[in-house]
């Protein structure tokens, strides 16, 4: 498969790490992005900068590649579908259509008999009143949310302002009294084989992932249930590639799906150093039709996200042979922006 050229849409840190995994497998990469400064261009073989609506540039991209994948889910589905008519897009665009829409995503998961938080679809302030039982809750934009963007905590109906004008659709979720958050990163291959990494424990601060670790401090039952649900979701989506299921565990040890990411995931970064095959390599293998290799864990690990200005301190630090620092080489330092991560291997 070394003659394959893979197209990757999006040029952030996930794109960079996908390009590095592809290089290891001798697969050439062409990154397409609407961010002129996207760091993945430092690792791809070619880089095309243009708006996603630029059909000339999309055509150029299609002509250069054999298969297309993406590093983030908020790409207009019509564009993925257009590309898919000429070159296969994996995971397939219809999956993205479901998952980039919280209402469709939760409905899909609930229909599989898998629990999510209690939720309602919201189009107006009136709809919130009718779902007062979900308060305290979190109002989330139905599409285009990430790292807590587009989320509002509503403690009671007093927080709902009469003059709110709803220009977008929302969902309202009951606030879960969290015991823990975990995620299952899972890769599904064209031969229908599946590999689920063990559950990863995630600690969030201000709705942004702060750090992740394996093993997760959870019971065997919850671990099995989380992997089983992730398996079912990937199968029913007919998913090809690496995806991630984020879960909440409430105070009664009930496992609830928070959301699905149809891509490699921040919590899975520790797989780069702790396993023989990372979530990125498994994604490339799966979408390029390579077979799944046996995955082995070498170490327990912890991964710390480096946000905003914190990166400056890390850039001037030295590291032990158990510490792996990743600088995403983003041009601008912004408050709360993911700038890099550190993985620490443990016994
Ligand atoms: P994003 O799409 O921005 O990742 P999430 O829906 O995953 O948004 O929310 C980000 C984080 O906010 C979660 O990981 C969790 O820590 C917190 N959060 C979101 N929804 C709830 C909820 N219903 N109850 C409790 N905490 C929540
Ligand atoms: Mg999330």
């Amino acid at each position: 498969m070394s003659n394959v050229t893979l197209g990757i849409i999006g040029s952030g840190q996930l794109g960079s790490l996908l390009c590095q995994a592809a290089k290891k497998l001798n697969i050439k990469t062409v990154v397409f992005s609407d961010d002129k400064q996207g760091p993945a261009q430092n690792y791809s073989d070619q880089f095309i900068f243009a708006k996603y609506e630029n059909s000339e540039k999309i055509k150029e991209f299609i002509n250069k590649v054999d298969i297309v994948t993406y590093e983030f889910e908020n790409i207009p589905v019509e564009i993925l579908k257009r590309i898919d008519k000429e070159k296969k897009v994996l995971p397939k665009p219809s999956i993205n259509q479901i998952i980039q829409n919280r209402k469709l995503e939760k409905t899909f998961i609930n229909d599989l008999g898998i629990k999510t938080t209690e939720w309602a679809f919201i189009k107006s302030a009136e709809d919130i009143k009718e779902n007062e039982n979900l308060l305290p809750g979190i109002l989330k934009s139905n599409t285009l949310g990430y790292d807590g963007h587009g989320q509002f905590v509503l403690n009671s109906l007093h927080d709902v302002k009469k003059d709110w004008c709803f220009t977008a659709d929302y969902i309202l979720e009951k606030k879960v009294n969290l015991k823990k958050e975990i995620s299952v990163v899972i890769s599904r291959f064209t031969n229908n084989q599946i590999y689920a990494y063990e559950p990863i424990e995630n600690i969030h601060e201000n709705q942004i992932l702060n750090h992740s670790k394996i093993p997760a401090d959870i019971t065997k039952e919850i671990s099995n249930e989380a992997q089983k649900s992730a398996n079912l979701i990937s199968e029913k989506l007919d998913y090809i590639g690496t995806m991630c299921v984020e879960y909440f565990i409430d105070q009664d040890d009930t496992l609830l799906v928070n959301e699905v990411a149809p891509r490699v995931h921040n919590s899975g970064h520790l797989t780069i150093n702790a396993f023989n095959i990372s979530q990125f390599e498994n994604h490339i293998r799966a979408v390029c039709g390579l077979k799944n290799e046996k995955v082995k864990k070498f170490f327990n690990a912890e991964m710390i996200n480096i946000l905003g200005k914190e990166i400056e301190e890390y850039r001037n630090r030295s590291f032990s042979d158990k510490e792996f620092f990743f600088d995403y080489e983003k041009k601008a330092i912004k408050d709360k922006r993911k700038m890099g991560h550190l993985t620490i291997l443990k016994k």
Side-chain angles (χ1 to χ4, degrees), residues 147 204 246 258-259 265:
D147 287 347
H204 287 79
E246 298 177 16
N258 169 28
E259 61 175 354
H265 193 258

Side-chain angles (χ1 to χ4, degrees), residues 309-324:
K309 278 205 174 70
E310 290 166 9
I311 193 73
E312 290 168 343
E313 176 202 326
Y314 281 88
R315 282 177 179 156
N316 293 314
R317 245 192 72 175
S318 57
F319 299 95
S320 78
D321 61 353
K322 296 273 180 288
E323 295 177 320
F324 297 86

Side-chain angles (χ1 to χ4, degrees), residues 190 249 285 318 328 342:
T190 46
I249 301 171
R285 284 182 171 280
S318 57
Y328 301 153
L342 177 72

Side-chain angles (χ1 to χ4, degrees), residues 9-157:
I9 305 175
S11 62
Q13 62 270 22
L14 302 178
S16 298
L17 295 164
L18 284 169
C19 287
Q20 290 172 54
K23 199 159 276 174
K24 190 180 153 196
L25 296 167
N26 261 325
I27 288 167
K28 295 227 170 339
T29 49
V30 181
V31 165
F32 187 106
S33 172
D34 66 353
D35 175 6
K36 196 172 188 175
Q37 302 194 317
Q41 64 191 285
N42 301 330
Y43 300 95
S44 64
D45 293 288
Q46 291 184 59
F47 179 64
I48 301 174
F49 157 67
K51 292 260 174 277
Y52 296 118
E53 295 74 25
N54 184 330
S55 45
E56 278 307 304
K57 288 287 183 182
I58 289 281
K59 206 180 280 167
E60 182 188 330
F61 176 62
I62 292 171
N63 287 338
K64 283 181 190 288
V65 301
D66 301 304
I67 303 167
V68 173
T69 189
Y70 42 91
E71 64 142 20
F72 71 117
E73 58 269 46
N74 292 330
I75 311 158
V77 174
E78 313 80 66
I79 291 171
L80 294 182
K81 287 190 171 163
R82 225 200 98 204
I83 298 172
D84 193 47
K85 285 198 182 118
E86 295 179 62
K87 298 285 165 70
K88 207 174 198 44
V89 175
L90 290 170
K92 59 185 181 185
S94 57
I95 293 178
N96 219 47
Q97 195 158 14
I98 299 172
I99 287 176
Q100 65 175 226
N101 181 314
R102 293 192 196 270
K103 179 188 178 197
L104 298 180
E105 177 189 35
K106 286 184 196 295
T107 304
F108 177 82
I109 293 164
N110 293 150
D111 287 349
L112 295 178
I114 298 171
K115 278 198 191 126
T116 59
T117 52
E118 288 175 60
W119 64 279
F121 186 57
I122 302 289
K123 278 178 112 46
S124 65
E126 200 53 43
D127 288 345
I128 300 178
K129 275 187 209 148
E130 279 171 24
N131 287 285
E132 197 183 349
N133 62 313
L134 296 178
L135 301 181
I138 301 174
L139 193 65
K140 300 182 178 180
S141 60
N142 193 42
T143 57
L144 299 174
Y146 72 98
D147 287 347
H149 292 271
Q151 298 196 7
F152 311 91
V153 175
L154 299 180
N155 286 311
S156 73
L157 286 180

Side-chain angles (χ1 to χ4, degrees), residues 87 91 125 169 208 210 234 249 262 312:
K87 298 285 165 70
D169 294 339
I208 302 176
N210 182 280
S234 76
I249 301 171
E312 290 168 343

Side-chain angles (χ1 to χ4, degrees), residues 280-297:
F280 301 98
E281 182 174 339
N282 262 340
H283 183 76
I284 304 286
R285 284 182 171 280
V287 300
C288 293
L290 300 183
K291 74 173 178 42
N292 50 318
E293 291 289 335
K294 194 166 169 46
V295 178
K296 284 187 227 127
K297 178 182 168 183

